[in-house]
């Protein structure tokens, strides 16, 4: 399992609960001064001091808080205009976004938490991942992201390994045979 986090709420206690189930963790530490937040710095020092954690793939990145990347499905306030990409999107095939309140959203581009496909407080990740609503979502977005309203103006593109995974899932009939 891959976990992306901004690390703001990550403590050593939470880290210990998560890490047994994580293959790779990426902490994007956003800062205007390009400095680690206090809790992330403490975690960084702890990870360096623990030899058992050397087997885990943990990356801590300092990111400029004002950088402009994707348009967050057209909702990013710092990137004006919508670029229409009429290709499939890989996110619902490869990523599982859980908001702090337990709700499951479409992807990391839904920073304003407008989408919801379940809640891990009352359903398992597996139940949500294989649900009919998630299958329908993958079928639409797997053909053309403009078939799904939330994704019509999104400019996220992934040309890497995720694309192959998405194509394999579509060949297998959605998500029933996925990991």
């Amino acid at each position: 399992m891959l976990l992306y986090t901004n690390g703001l709420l990550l403590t050593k206690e939470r880290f210990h609960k998560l890490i047994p189930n994580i293959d790779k963790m990426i902490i994007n530490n956003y800062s205007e001064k390009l400095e680690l937040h206090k809790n992330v710095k403490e975690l960084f020092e702890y990870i360096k001091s623990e030899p058992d954690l050397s087997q885990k793939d943990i990356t801590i990145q300092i990111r400029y808080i004002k950088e402009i990347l994707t348009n967050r499905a057209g909702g990013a306030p710092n990137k004006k205009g919508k670029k229409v990409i009429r290709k499939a999107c890989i996110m619902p095939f490869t990523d599982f976004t859980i908001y702090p309140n337990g709700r499951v959203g479409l992807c990391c581009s839904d920073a304003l938490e407008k989408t919801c496909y379940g809640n891990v407080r009352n359903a398992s990740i597996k139940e949500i991942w294989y649900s009919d609503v998630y299958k329908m979502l993958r079928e639409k977005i797997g053909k053309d992201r403009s078939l799904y309203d939330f994704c019509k103006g999104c400019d996220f593109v992934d040309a890497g390994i995720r694309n192959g995974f998405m194509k394999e899932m579509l060949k297998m009939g959605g998500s029933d045979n996925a990991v």
Side-chain angles (χ1 to χ4, degrees):
M1 174 187 276
L2 165 64
L3 173 70
Y4 280 97
T5 177
N6 64 15
L8 290 176
L9 299 177
L10 199 55
T11 62
K12 276 204 295 192
E13 294 77 27
R14 287 186 176 133
F15 177 80
H16 278 288
K17 288 179 183 176
L18 291 169
I19 204 64
N21 303 304
I22 303 292
D23 299 308
K24 181 173 182 67
M25 178 184 286
I26 298 174
I27 302 170
N28 286 320
N29 182 105
Y30 290 93
S31 166
E32 191 166 342
K33 295 180 181 179
L34 298 176
E35 297 172 345
L36 289 177
H37 298 293
K38 182 181 176 196
N39 67 312
V40 176
K41 187 174 184 176
E42 289 171 3
L43 196 57
F44 175 72
E45 295 299 328
Y46 173 72
I47 292 167
K48 282 188 350 186
S49 72
E50 290 295 317
D52 292 343
L53 293 175
S54 65
Q55 300 167 359
K56 293 289 183 178
D57 189 354
I58 303 168
T59 303
I60 298 175
Q61 303 178 124
I62 298 177
R63 307 280 298 268
Y64 183 55
I65 199 163
K66 293 182 180 179
E67 70 184 293
I68 299 172
L69 300 172
T70 66
N71 69 2
R72 298 289 190 175
N78 61 345
K79 189 170 185 182
K80 302 298 179 209
K82 292 185 179 182
K83 180 179 180 180
V84 177
I85 298 174
R86 297 207 43 129
K87 292 187 178 189
C89 179
I90 48 84
M91 294 303 246
F93 296 88
T94 61
D95 293 42
F96 195 80
T97 301
I98 304 172
Y99 304 123
N101 61 7
R103 290 177 53 233
V104 175
L106 176 62
C107 67
C108 62
S109 287
D110 185 9
L112 301 176
E113 301 180 24
K114 291 183 178 182
T115 61
C116 182
Y117 300 96
N119 193 309
V120 295
R121 291 184 177 168
N122 39 8
S124 72
I125 290 174
K126 187 175 181 178
E127 287 171 327
I128 298 168
W129 182 258
Y130 292 110
S131 68
D132 288 340
V133 69
Y134 230 92
K135 287 178 192 176
M136 179 276 307
L137 170 72
R138 287 189 192 102
E139 286 174 16
K140 283 184 175 182
I141 295 175
K143 292 176 186 165
D144 180 340
R145 69 180 74 193
S146 70
L147 296 175
Y148 194 72
D149 279 343
F150 180 79
C151 305
K152 283 182 180 178
C154 186
D155 65 359
F156 176 84
V157 178
D158 181 276
I161 194 168
R162 291 173 164 173
N163 238 340
F165 184 70
M166 178 195 72
K167 289 176 184 173
E168 283 303 310
M169 283 185 70
L170 286 173
K171 278 192 239 175
M172 293 186 287
S175 58
D176 289 336
N177 300 315
V179 178

